[in-house]
Amino acid sequence: MNEHVQSTGSEPLFNPLAPEYIRNPYPYYERLRTMDPVHLNVHGAFVASRHAEVSLVMRDKRFGKDFSERTIRRYGPKIMEEPAFRSMSHWMLQQDPPDHTRLRGLVVKAFTARRVEDMRPRIQQVVDETLDRIIPQGKMDLIEDFAFRLPVTIICDMLGIPEEHREAFYNGSRDGGRLLDPVPLSPEEIKQANAGNVMAAMYFHQLFELRRKQPGDDLTTQLVQAEENGHKLTNEELTANIILLFGAGHETTVNLIGNGLLALHRNPDQLALLKANPGLITNAIEEFLRYDSSVQATGRVALEDIEDLGGKRIPKGETVLCLLGSANHDPAVYPDHPEKLDIRRPNVKPLSFGGGIHFCLGAQLARIEAEIAISTLLRRIPDLRLDDAENPEWRPTFVLRGLKCLPASW
């Protein structure tokens, strides 16, 4: 990061990949909210840190995604030839209407509240099987052995990925998060991202062939059929959005479970309270989302000149980075010690799932997975202790906030 941009010689106000930022971004957010709530950072993006501006930008029609344009501004005109960026440009997450509306319409039925509620017994079964296998060992890594297995299994179920292919996904690497960070990727990182994208595309093309021959009651079959009917979906869109669903379907939920368990063990009073009152779990999940969100930021682009956003003028085409984690700690909305974990906190409405037309498709699924995972763990291993709650190892990404590992024993 180029710290010479600010002539004062002070540290930049927003330096998201600095190790101390990754460890605990919240004091830095507080500084942003008080000193410069819509802050122009060294990469030329406006960084919104208060709840008011963040929620406005996500819902306001004058802001959109404009992914290709925004990416070309940052990397130059050749960037969209890179497979990873080309694939991302087709994600519904990066699309504006009408493409966004069409793509989301194809998958939304798989994520309705009713469909997700019906998955509760299966989610419980996966959690119990995982714990049956692991309890006799007396120790585990809560991330890899526990938090990771559940959402990967459920998204594999939903996408119709056969049992015999899943081992590769359980052992898969979790280093895709850098693609989403507001700091440009190095050529080496782009090369890695491309390689990962090519591998994923190769696998999913095999899965498409399988589901053309043997249709199932799954999302892949649904999308393959939409693609075959023409007009609805190109092959490139199909591939990109399955990759998105697979990644989004586990990455963030792993972090919600991991960050939630860490927060509980760092706040023993709250852990004791939840064990004594298991019925608090639903509100506790909302508080985990607010307290240490697994997604810290989301971006929008001004589709027209915006005269006043928190006192700044945003010219058309400029990016606004919405700091969800900061908005979730804004004392204007959470006047009662926003920096404290309080699983009984009233009116928790975290912005962690985004807002507006891009509101997270899997929000309800993530909540239920985390609820069942955490409450079952507390019930079945009541004497679980973290090896080191003070200095856990965070993954070196900013937008996706999560732990590399979280060793525990009992």
Side-chain angles (χ1 to χ4, degrees):
M1 273 261 186
N2 178 0
E3 60 272 56
H4 306 300
V5 173
Q6 281 169 319
S7 53
T8 54
S10 68
E11 278 299 292
L13 261 182
F14 181 67
N15 187 6
L17 293 187
E20 59 279 12
Y21 222 102
I22 301 265
R23 198 175 313 123
N24 180 10
Y26 299 101
Y28 300 95
Y29 292 159
E30 189 184 357
R31 219 172 56 175
L32 275 167
R33 287 192 305 267
T34 45
M35 289 171 69
D36 197 8
V38 180
H39 166 70
L40 185 58
N41 78 347
V42 294
H43 297 292
F46 289 90
V47 182
S49 51
R50 292 189 302 206
H51 192 284
E53 286 82 14
V54 167
S55 49
L56 174 98
V57 169
M58 291 195 296
R59 293 174 176 83
D60 192 314
K61 298 270 189 291
R62 296 171 302 168
F63 292 93
K65 285 290 185 172
D66 206 4
F67 178 78
S68 299
E69 192 54 38
R70 178 181 48 166
T71 308
I72 287 166
R73 278 187 94 141
R74 182 184 280 177
Y75 290 98
K78 285 229 177 307
I79 191 67
M80 296 319 282
E81 293 164 21
E82 302 285 357
F85 286 92
R86 227 173 93 178
S87 175
M88 272 172 91
S89 74
H90 292 294
W91 290 1
M92 65 185 89
L93 178 66
Q94 303 291 10
Q95 293 276 3
D96 295 313
D99 287 328
H100 171 265
T101 320
R102 168 178 58 90
L103 292 168
R104 189 169 170 123
L106 289 171
V107 299
V108 67
K109 282 195 281 301
F111 292 93
T112 58
R114 178 68 219 277
R115 282 294 279 274
V116 170
E117 265 314 309
D118 289 346
M119 288 155 72
R120 267 185 193 271
R122 171 63 175 150
I123 294 169
Q124 186 68 60
Q125 177 198 355
V126 175
V127 173
D128 280 323
E129 284 173 1
T130 303
L131 290 177
D132 290 343
R133 205 178 51 247
I134 238 147
I135 284 176
Q137 296 172 12
K139 65 180 191 359
M140 68 165 143
D141 171 6
L142 282 168
I143 303 300
E144 195 173 326
D145 300 326
F146 182 70
F148 186 65
R149 292 218 50 122
L150 169 67
V152 172
T153 303
I154 298 301
I155 199 69
C156 283
D157 285 358
M158 292 181 79
L159 293 178
I161 293 172
E163 280 306 328
E164 60 273 19
H165 295 179
R166 294 187 184 187
E167 219 33 60
F169 291 108
Y170 292 130
N171 301 324
S173 72
R174 297 177 57 226
D175 50 17
R178 265 294 277 127
L179 261 180
L180 302 172
D181 281 337
V183 175
L185 274 67
S186 67
E188 188 47 45
E189 287 176 311
I190 292 176
K191 224 168 78 181
Q192 274 178 316
N194 286 340
N197 181 262
V198 168
M199 289 292 289
M202 272 167 60
Y203 173 73
F204 286 117
H205 287 149
Q206 287 175 12
L207 182 65
F208 301 155
E209 281 316 301
L210 177 68
R211 291 298 166 231
R212 285 191 181 101
K213 294 194 193 81
Q214 304 172 20
D217 178 23
D218 57 66
L219 202 44
T220 303
T221 301
Q222 245 178 281
L223 292 174
V224 163
Q225 288 169 353
E227 183 224 4
E228 285 177 338
N229 303 338
H231 311 312
K232 282 276 188 237
L233 198 61
T234 66
N235 189 268
E236 211 171 350
E237 287 176 326
L238 169 65
T239 309
N241 282 288
I242 292 271
I243 291 175
L244 168 66
L245 286 168
F246 183 80
H250 74 280
E251 194 51 79
T252 47
T253 308
V254 174
N255 294 344
L256 169 56
I257 296 169
N259 297 2
L261 287 169
L262 177 67
L264 279 177
H265 283 88
R266 282 178 158 180
N267 294 275
D269 60 319
Q270 299 295 300
L271 179 60
L273 183 60
L274 184 54
K275 283 179 174 172
N277 306 291
L280 289 174
I281 188 67
T282 313
N283 197 64
I285 298 299
E286 298 309 296
E287 175 68 350
F288 299 148
L289 285 159
R290 183 201 71 81
Y291 178 74
D292 201 9
S293 175
S294 24
V295 180
Q296 286 287 315
T298 183
R300 296 289 189 274
V301 170
L303 302 176
E304 56 184 73
D305 290 341
I306 309 289
E307 285 315 315
D308 179 16
L309 181 71
K312 297 271 169 81
R313 184 175 179 277
I314 315 287
K316 179 181 174 179
E318 295 295 339
T319 296
V320 179
L321 187 67
C322 299
L323 296 183
L324 306 172
S326 177
N328 285 340
H329 282 234
D330 189 337
V333 179
Y334 300 104
D336 194 17
H337 297 291
E339 71 295 340
K340 277 210 166 69
L341 182 75
D342 175 6
I343 62 171
R344 285 184 147 144
R345 187 183 295 277
N347 313 318
V348 187
K349 294 192 172 53
L351 295 181
S352 311
F353 291 118
I357 63 170
H358 293 284
F359 183 82
C360 175
L361 202 54
Q364 205 42 33
L365 176 59
R367 287 182 171 116
I368 291 177
E369 287 182 345
E371 183 183 310
I372 293 175
I374 292 175
S375 49
T376 308
L377 183 73
L378 299 184
R379 188 179 74 243
R380 292 195 54 189
I381 316 183
D383 56 342
L384 177 115
R385 296 176 307 276
L386 298 188
D387 294 7
D388 184 3
E390 279 325 294
N391 297 296
E393 207 182 336
W394 293 95
R395 298 172 61 198
T397 52
F398 163 69
V399 169
L400 298 183
R401 176 166 172 78
L403 296 155
K404 262 191 194 164
C405 54
L406 193 59
S409 56
W410 53 92

